[in-house]
Amino acid sequence: MTDEKTWLGHPRGLFVLFFVEMWERFSYYGMRALLIFYLVKHWLYADAEASIIYGAYTALVYITPVVGGYLADRYLGQRKAVQFGAVMLTIGHFLMIFEGDGGRNGPAINIFWLALAFIIVGVGFLKANISVIVGQLYPRTDLRRDPAYTIFYMGINLGGALGPIIAGYLGETYGWSYGFGAAGVGMLLGLIAFVRGRPLLLGKGEPPAPQRLAAPVAGIKLEWLIYLFGFVMVGICWWLVQNQAVVGSLLGVSGAILIGFILFTAVFKLPSVDRDRILAALFLMIMSIVFWALFEQAGSSINLFTDRRVDRHLFGAEVPASVFQSINSIYIILLAPVFAVLWTWLGRRNLEPSAPAKFGLALIQLGAGFLVLVAGVLSAGPGQLTPVIFIFLLYLLHTTGELCLSPVGLSAMNRLSPLHLASLIMGTWFFSTAAGQFAAGLIAAAIGSEGAGPERVTEVYSSAGWTAVAVGVAVIVIAPLIKRLMHLDKLSDHVVDD
């Protein structure tokens, strides 16, 4: 065994991946912070139309990693998949620079759709696979694994914080192409770092069968056929993002088939304990759809609300609305360690809430965030701008809710899945996130539907807030039942041979 060179006690490859993921999230969230404004102010879509496009785009971003992950596991290996995804993302972000004149009848609108398609497919190849490489840098029993993912998670949120601040500010202050160009430069830096940092990855994430990848299929190397398929996916996504109703139908039909298959397997093919755990996992997935459908108003309706109805003056200067999209990531950086310590402290005293109870708490905090914002609107009075403090409070409550649900859900899926269904259950978890993203677009469209006045926002947010609180309370009430379905007392470690 060769001596491993480390930095801060971790393989140096971890910090290559940290840097790449930081710039990828910088570019993604920087572009996303501007997207709803770009649709409304540049392409002149109505709020409802723009919200549906936004929802379809973000839903597709969460669906394509299933394909990218499968191709990496089976053929490409994670390193080649990440590199290909980074190339696609760089192309997509730089294509966003071409604004045209804003007229939807000109050719520039097709470049815009193409840019979104490249970004969707790029995320599909990069997002899940780069996380896998992080784990591959460590033996399964290495105590540094959890701290490594914590470091990596900080890279995600550092990029998520800086992207809206820099790209959002440039885009709204100097012009769209400056903001999107900044996102493109960030992704290019990430790509360069990944290519140059390859030796530090210690050979991890390479193809499972290099000889098969190099073998010709119909006269073309299999590897190049996979890359060609990636460009075919771009064409499919280019069409889908323009036909949002089809995305909704695909989510509905494929979701029904997926859940039907899982239920059939659980009821007829699994022992009773595994069946109960699958039912508990499905319950958590349904709750996650509710959560993300409301939480993801941040990039669409809340972004528009911040732009139009919030006093955005801070320290004597007016802050562009897109910059406020960084608040969630900043809160996560500050609060994630606090929550990790809190759960550990409560766990040692047998006071830690169960996973279902944490989901209930997440929904209550999510609803409280909307109700706080509504209170801010009402306190300002008719026709007056809402004080900016209420936007900070909304994001604070939404972030604490996210910290009760997102990492807890990932852990729960891992614990509840039978070994031979682990990938399917995890894929279904991310599919539920995609469904929540699309539902978020529908809710935002209802807020911005034709003829809706300012009072429509407070009406919908009030309903969303009370509904989330009520559902959260109901989840806490039935949490003991769901916990019993999880059979935590019968969990045992899987033994996996290398």
Side-chain angles (χ1 to χ4, degrees):
M1 180 177 176
T2 58
D3 291 334
E4 179 186 58
K5 293 182 179 180
T6 62
W7 191 51
L8 299 179
H10 289 273
R12 291 185 298 171
L14 172 65
F15 299 96
V16 172
L17 300 175
F18 171 97
F19 189 77
V20 174
E21 181 68 354
M22 182 194 76
W23 283 119
E24 188 274 328
R25 291 290 90 181
F26 171 94
S27 62
Y28 176 77
Y29 281 107
M31 186 280 271
R32 201 189 75 157
L34 289 169
L35 181 57
I36 195 73
F37 298 132
Y38 193 51
L39 288 165
V40 171
K41 297 181 180 181
H42 181 70
W43 297 116
L44 304 181
Y45 282 100
D47 287 5
E49 294 176 292
S51 297
I52 292 291
I53 294 168
Y54 178 92
Y57 164 72
T58 53
L60 288 169
V61 161
Y62 277 89
I63 293 172
T64 51
V66 177
V67 180
Y70 173 81
L71 291 173
D73 285 341
R74 190 75 182 270
Y75 304 109
L76 276 179
Q78 285 73 31
R79 184 189 62 79
K80 287 179 179 287
V82 169
Q83 186 167 308
F84 180 64
V87 170
M88 302 292 269
L89 280 163
T90 303
I91 293 171
H93 283 294
F94 278 121
L95 284 175
M96 290 290 293
I97 294 174
F98 297 96
E99 299 178 29
D101 58 6
R104 279 184 259 162
N105 294 324
I109 187 70
N110 289 306
I111 298 177
F112 168 66
W113 299 126
L114 187 63
L116 293 185
F118 267 102
I119 293 170
I120 291 166
V121 175
V123 172
F125 275 90
L126 184 145
K127 186 63 182 148
N129 291 311
I130 195 169
S131 300
V132 172
I133 301 177
V134 173
Q136 291 176 344
L137 290 172
Y138 302 85
R140 286 192 178 94
T141 57
D142 196 323
L143 296 177
R144 298 176 299 169
R145 286 174 67 97
D146 284 354
Y149 274 105
T150 300
I151 292 170
F152 184 71
Y153 189 62
M154 289 301 173
I156 292 173
N157 286 288
L158 182 59
L162 292 175
I165 292 173
I166 296 174
Y169 176 79
L170 291 174
E172 289 202 73
T173 305
Y174 296 102
W176 305 114
S177 60
Y178 288 92
F180 294 134
V185 170
M187 193 60 244
L188 180 60
L189 291 173
L191 172 59
I192 293 170
F194 190 73
V195 173
R196 291 180 62 86
R198 176 183 174 182
L200 300 179
L201 299 181
L202 308 175
K204 305 301 182 183
E206 294 302 320
Q211 68 282 359
R212 181 173 58 174
L213 198 60
V217 177
I220 304 175
K221 282 202 308 183
L222 177 59
E223 180 176 353
W224 290 103
L225 279 179
I226 293 173
Y227 297 148
L228 179 61
F229 174 71
F231 283 94
V232 172
M233 286 177 62
V234 170
I236 294 170
C237 292
W238 176 82
W239 185 81
L240 284 173
V241 80
Q242 297 178 69
N243 294 273
Q244 302 87 34
V246 179
V247 176
S249 299
L250 283 175
L251 282 169
V253 172
S254 55
I257 293 172
L258 190 58
I259 292 174
F261 175 76
I262 291 172
L263 284 173
F264 175 83
T265 302
V267 172
F268 295 105
K269 295 187 177 182
L270 295 179
S272 59
V273 169
D274 284 338
R275 179 199 63 214
D276 289 349
R277 288 176 180 156
I278 292 294
L279 294 176
L282 288 174
F283 174 82
L284 296 179
M285 290 177 195
I286 292 170
M287 292 303 101
S288 80
I289 293 175
V290 176
F291 182 87
W292 294 119
L294 298 177
F295 180 91
E296 285 298 332
Q297 296 305 304
S300 52
S301 69
I302 293 175
N303 216 2
L304 290 170
F305 177 87
T306 304
D307 182 56
R308 297 167 180 171
R309 301 195 59 199
V310 171
D311 181 358
R312 292 179 278 107
H313 285 86
L314 289 172
F315 308 110
E318 187 174 46
V319 180
S322 57
V323 172
F324 287 87
Q325 292 294 292
S326 66
I327 298 174
N328 172 243
S329 292
I330 294 171
Y331 278 149
I332 287 177
I333 292 171
L334 296 174
L335 295 175
V338 176
F339 272 73
V341 171
L342 175 64
W343 298 141
T344 302
W345 186 84
L346 290 172
R348 287 173 179 166
R349 291 159 177 77
N350 294 318
L351 296 173
E352 183 181 5
S354 65
K358 288 177 182 176
F359 271 53
L361 291 171
L363 287 163
I364 290 171
Q365 291 167 92
L366 178 72
F370 283 112
L371 296 177
V372 164
L373 182 60
V374 170
V377 174
L378 296 177
S379 69
Q384 301 299 308
L385 294 177
T386 303
V388 72
I389 184 63
F390 290 98
I391 290 295
F392 282 95
L393 290 173
L394 173 135
Y395 282 122
L396 175 62
L397 287 164
H398 283 197
T399 301
T400 55
E402 180 186 1
L403 289 168
C404 287
L405 182 138
S406 186
V408 173
L410 286 171
S411 176
M413 295 306 113
N414 186 266
R415 300 175 80 189
L416 297 175
S417 305
L419 187 58
H420 66 289
L421 292 177
S423 295
L424 178 65
I425 297 300
M426 191 61 75
T428 307
W429 168 258
F430 284 111
F431 185 91
S432 70
T433 304
Q437 298 278 350
F438 189 78
L442 297 178
I443 294 171
I447 294 173
S449 58
E450 188 174 355
E455 67 282 353
R456 177 67 168 167
V457 176
T458 51
E459 177 188 332
V460 174
Y461 284 172
S462 180
S463 297
W466 287 116
T467 299
V469 169
V471 173
V473 170
V475 171
I476 289 176
V477 170
I478 65 173
L481 172 62
I482 306 302
K483 183 180 178 181
R484 282 199 294 273
L485 290 175
M486 296 169 73
H487 295 287
L488 298 177
D489 56 325
K490 298 178 182 177
L491 282 174
S492 60
D493 290 329
H494 296 307
V495 178
V496 182
D497 296 327
D498 284 320

